[in-house]
Amino acid sequence: MKNIYAYVRVSSNKQNEARQVKELLDLGILKNNIIIEKATGKNFNRNKYNNLLKCLNSGDILYISSIDRLGRDYDGIISEWNRLIKEMKVAIRVLDMPLLNTDKDKTNLMDKFICDIVLMTLAFQAEQEWNNIKSRQKAGIAIAKENGKKLGRPKAIYPEATIKTINEWKNGILSLDEAMKKIGRKKSTFYRLVQELK
């Protein structure tokens, strides 16, 4: 019996997968069979994706909304595509490019040739777009630094009493237990504060 799965990927926690999920639910795919992952597409070393591969059997169908949801690396996409359809014998359905659906009979050499070209083109676009995003991010960071903007997490601000207590501990005025009790922190948190206040 064929099982139907779907793989949904967004690059970060800030991105929303709702559109992809709705599209798949509307096709009647069971919610439990929709694998959602928040991870970069630059390689296939992804926990949920690799767990999905363990569930897939010959004859199963895997839905993806587009090629770039599968990945963003040209060589990786081509290699993974071939592994899924040729080695694992899994059918793939690509929602935004039905021409690539592998469960359609493509005995005609011209059909196979066109599909290969489309796949390679989309894989190229996926990696190129990823490279463009990274270039824009680097350019944005460089401009922000030139303009004197501080990047990254803002430095935490601690009460004067906390800073005084840590300095007293450093100078041997207070024992570790006394200092921790005074600022109400456990040992691991206390040492983290010490590092942050260096």
Side-chain angles (χ1 to χ4, degrees), residues 17-36:
E17 69 281 0
R19 180 192 56 80
Q20 290 180 66
V21 172
K22 183 182 183 313
E23 203 174 17
L24 294 159
L25 289 171
D26 288 348
L27 289 170
I29 298 170
L30 299 174
K31 191 173 184 178
N32 288 343
N33 286 5
I34 299 174
I35 311 306
I36 301 167

Side-chain angles (χ1 to χ4, degrees), residues 111-123:
D111 289 345
K112 288 180 183 175
F113 175 67
I114 290 168
C115 284
D116 286 347
I117 289 173
V118 170
L119 176 64
M120 287 188 286
T121 303
L122 293 174

Side-chain angles (χ1 to χ4, degrees), residues 6-66:
Y7 179 69
V8 168
R9 185 188 65 77
V10 290
S11 297
S12 71
N13 288 323
K14 291 177 185 174
Q15 293 179 324
N16 193 318
E17 69 281 0
R19 180 192 56 80
Q20 290 180 66
V21 172
K22 183 182 183 313
E23 203 174 17
L24 294 159
L25 289 171
D26 288 348
L27 289 170
I29 298 170
L30 299 174
K31 191 173 184 178
N32 288 343
N33 286 5
I34 299 174
I35 311 306
I36 301 167
E37 188 149 51
K38 298 194 176 191
T40 179
K42 68 180 178 180
N43 60 51
F44 284 86
N45 187 19
R46 297 177 231 140
N47 291 336
K48 291 188 178 179
Y49 180 77
N50 288 319
N51 287 337
L52 167 64
L53 292 182
K54 291 172 191 169
C55 299
L56 291 169
N57 294 304
S58 176
D60 287 349
I61 299 171
L62 175 63
Y63 279 82
I64 52 174
S65 61
S66 61

